[in-house]
Amino acid sequence: MAIPMTVETGMISGVPGEIAFHGPTRVRTAVIDSADNKNNVFGRAYTLKDGEPEAGVYVQAGGAGHFAGIMISPKAYNLDKELNGTQGEFLDMGEVYVRLESEGAKIGDKVYFVPATGELTTEEEGNTLVPNCIVERNTPSAEQPTLAVIRLTN
């Protein structure tokens, strides 16, 4: 095998769902139980399925319940299988790479999620605020034009 002579310059940083920087983090574990398995995507917002923080063991992508966190650690899962019924990790404090559905995000913008899917955006209208969450860094590339780092301080 030859030594590579070129460097990939397309993706400048990050994979959605990966923790961005070492620092204080808090993660909750719960069983994924979304209405549509297609919405079980790393780097999206999840809420407690029953809506009550004390009783919540099940989470869903999006939803109207209590905010559970951003699904993280994509390298820890077999992505060939359905994620419903598996245990996941949901970040509610720390910095994580995500894909925003809205372009033109600025550092310091508040982050919202689409209740039907859990997709993240900086657009307020019709969406739910992610508590104590802002865009920390915006590092788009040609492959991921809406890649950003968000900071949660719950």
Side-chain angles (χ1 to χ4, degrees):
M1 174 179 255
I3 296 174
M5 300 308 258
T6 60
V7 175
E8 179 61 46
T9 58
M11 186 178 347
I12 55 177
S13 69
V15 173
E18 285 290 317
I19 295 193
F21 306 105
H22 293 289
T25 58
R26 184 174 45 242
V27 175
R28 115 180 21 225
T29 57
V31 177
I32 302 166
D33 187 22
S34 297
D36 187 349
N37 191 60
K38 289 186 292 187
N39 292 328
N40 293 332
V41 176
F42 295 93
R44 285 194 183 174
Y46 285 71
T47 60
L48 295 177
K49 184 118 180 161
D50 55 19
E52 295 298 322
E54 303 83 35
V57 217
Y58 293 93
V59 296
Q60 61 190 345
H66 184 77
F67 178 73
I70 305 295
M71 188 171 176
I72 63 168
S73 302
K75 296 174 189 163
Y77 296 86
N78 179 353
L79 300 179
D80 291 333
K81 295 186 177 182
E82 191 171 293
L83 292 176
N84 271 343
T86 62
Q87 187 171 343
E89 295 179 310
F90 303 91
L91 180 84
D92 71 349
M93 183 174 76
E95 296 174 322
V96 61
Y97 289 102
V98 297
R99 199 178 111 228
L100 299 173
E101 293 304 311
S102 53
E103 292 189 27
K106 297 179 199 78
I107 294 171
D109 283 353
K110 291 181 180 181
V111 179
Y112 301 86
F113 69 89
V114 178
T117 62
E119 294 172 305
L120 299 174
T121 181
T122 55
E123 296 173 9
E124 180 179 3
E125 190 172 334
N127 298 315
T128 304
L129 180 68
V130 176
N132 302 313
C133 181
I134 62 166
V135 174
E136 176 72 19
R137 297 177 192 215
N138 192 5
T139 55
S141 67
E143 286 77 13
Q144 297 202 36
T146 56
L147 182 68
V149 174
I150 60 172
R151 180 177 58 196
L152 294 102
T153 55
N154 291 308

